[in-house]
Amino acid sequence: MQYPDYRPRRLRANEHFRRMIRETRLSVDDFVHPLFVVPGKNVKKPIASMPGNFQLSVDQLVKEVKITRDLGIPAVLLFGIPEKKDEIATGAFARDGIVQRAVTALKDKVPDILVITDVCLCEYTSHGHCGMLRGTDVENDPTIEVLGETAVSHARAGADMVAPSAMMDGQVTAIREALDEADFDHIPIMAYSAKYASCFYGPFREAAESAPQFGDRKAYQMDPGNGDEAIREITLDVEEGADIIMVKPALPYLDIICRARQEFDLPIAAYNVSGEFAMIKAAANLGWLDEERAMMESLLSIKRAGADIILTYFAREAARFLSKGSR
Ligand code: PBG
């Protein structure tokens, strides 16, 4: 295959050829739409660094999820901001906690969309870390017990799938065992397996009011320099019973998604995180990027790297774009 016998430009000459040989296509089926739920009624509070995203009370959340469903998006991912935070994250596993109430309402009022819940403690602890503390250290083993309890409380409320994101060792085992014991052996786990200590979560922490009050998350989230370690983390989660494995963030870690695709045969999710969303929104706002094209090219790249599922704040806009057809 050499010039002049092979001329790749022949098959790029017009959109018909390009459509015919395109290897990767996005579909609305690929997307999961993350949403933030807060206490109260009639709350729809804009998140400054994530234009078009809101903190929503349960009544407003129901309305928003109907729109998401009507666009054909198969799933939402819920994050909760409780009325009260404490040292031990009581709000995370409370029977009438914010996520639990939201899930129950959604299952009742919008039954035909999957509800996935994020299982972590950082939104519920007064110190903002993802687990319980001893001194300034997050203690692993007591934390995974609470994560198990939290997952069960979500399943009890009606969650279709749980997504542990705390990056504690053994968290998938603890959650699988807790779910099985409570007769939720049919509830799958989407594990945030390779989750990096990333600055791209910045806008999310405003949305979820979950920034750590001291220090950072580097003692539990992964070091951005490590690729082989991601494979070890994913291997552990697969052995512990994860049904879906996740890489997070997405765009700065496409190499990790690609390696995961080559090495594992489970479905792979990638989280196109808040900072990735905010960058495009900000540049578009300044007139420096074409927002729609930047969005679609980013999402396409995540899928081309090997992701089957893309968690993204662009879910609705991308779904609308795809339903216009042609491209
Ligand atoms: C919670 C969690 C975070 C995100 C998802 N789950 C934040 C963090 O680890 O600090 C980030 C998502 C985003 O940035 O969109 N543990």
Side-chain angles (χ1 to χ4, degrees):
M1 292 275 273
Q2 253 189 355
Y3 172 84
D5 299 325
Y6 181 51
R7 290 174 180 268
R9 288 188 53 190
R10 285 179 193 133
L11 295 182
R12 283 178 212 144
N14 61 52
E15 184 59 12
H16 294 294
F17 277 129
R18 293 191 291 268
R19 275 171 55 202
M20 197 161 68
I21 66 159
R22 189 162 294 144
E23 297 168 34
T24 307
R25 278 193 175 76
L26 287 165
S27 147
V28 67
D29 298 334
D30 304 331
F31 303 138
V32 175
H33 183 202
L35 290 156
F36 302 94
V37 58
V38 293
K41 255 194 125 5
N42 243 322
V43 182
K44 188 174 176 184
K45 188 175 167 217
I47 301 159
S49 52
M50 300 171 67
N53 289 264
F54 302 86
Q55 291 182 333
L56 302 160
S57 52
V58 173
D59 55 308
Q60 296 297 309
L61 176 77
V62 166
K63 282 194 195 160
E64 292 296 318
V65 173
K66 282 181 180 158
I67 299 171
T68 300
R69 173 204 57 196
D70 291 345
L71 286 165
I73 294 163
V76 292
L77 171 67
L78 289 191
F79 295 94
I81 298 108
E83 29 269 297
K84 268 206 327 281
K85 302 178 190 249
D86 61 24
E87 286 278 301
I88 56 163
T90 312
F93 51 87
R95 195 175 271 268
D96 63 346
I98 183 68
V99 162
Q100 291 78 356
R101 298 201 307 272
V103 173
T104 305
L106 288 177
K107 288 285 92 179
D108 179 36
K109 305 222 164 68
V110 207
D112 41 358
I113 186 165
L114 292 175
V115 177
I116 310 169
T117 55
D118 187 83
V119 177
C120 191
L121 305 186
C122 61
E123 296 105 277
Y124 304 91
T125 51
S126 44
H127 44 73
H129 278 286
C130 299
M132 274 110 61
L133 297 182
R134 181 195 283 172
T136 55
D137 275 354
V138 175
E139 271 201 301
N140 196 85
D141 295 7
T143 296
I144 63 177
E145 292 301 309
V146 177
L147 293 172
E149 212 178 315
T150 301
V152 169
S153 75
H154 292 176
R156 243 183 223 127
D160 296 293
M161 177 154 74
V162 294
S165 67
M167 284 303 278
M168 295 297 128
D169 296 339
Q171 63 182 11
V172 174
T173 298
I175 289 172
R176 184 72 273 158
E177 284 175 0
L179 287 172
D180 292 355
E181 251 167 58
D183 281 335
F184 293 114
D185 51 13
H186 58 290
I187 298 295
I189 298 174
M190 175 164 72
Y192 289 71
S193 305
K195 176 175 174 180
Y196 286 86
S198 172
C199 78
F200 291 101
Y201 309 150
F204 172 94
R205 291 179 188 170
E206 178 200 339
E209 299 174 12
S210 65
Q213 298 303 301
F214 66 88
D216 52 39
R217 304 207 199 291
K218 291 181 187 166
Y220 39 102
Q221 298 180 348
M222 283 183 57
D223 190 298
N226 295 354
D228 295 341
E229 189 190 358
I231 302 304
R232 295 198 292 278
E233 279 280 8
I234 299 170
T235 303
L236 283 171
D237 280 2
V238 172
E239 287 168 359
E240 291 181 29
D243 299 279
I244 297 173
I245 53 184
M246 195 200 297
V247 175
K248 179 186 174 193
L251 292 174
Y253 298 88
L254 292 180
D255 58 324
I256 308 299
I257 298 173
C258 183
R259 285 180 66 178
R261 175 77 295 151
Q262 285 158 5
E263 304 206 24
F264 301 94
D265 56 9
L266 285 182
I268 295 174
Y271 203 139
N272 178 225
V273 302
S274 57
E276 300 172 51
F277 174 82
M279 285 196 294
I280 290 178
K281 286 284 177 188
N285 202 26
L286 289 166
W288 292 353
L289 276 180
D290 176 325
E291 179 171 344
E292 204 170 62
R293 292 184 57 198
M295 161 180 83
M296 295 313 285
E297 188 175 327
S298 302
L299 297 172
L300 183 71
S301 302
I302 295 167
K303 185 162 182 180
R304 192 194 57 239
D308 303 293
I309 300 163
I310 305 173
L311 300 100
T312 179
Y313 305 97
F314 283 123
R316 283 180 175 184
E317 288 160 83
R320 287 197 187 98
F321 178 86
L322 290 169
S323 73
K324 284 192 298 197
S326 84
R327 288 154 288 188

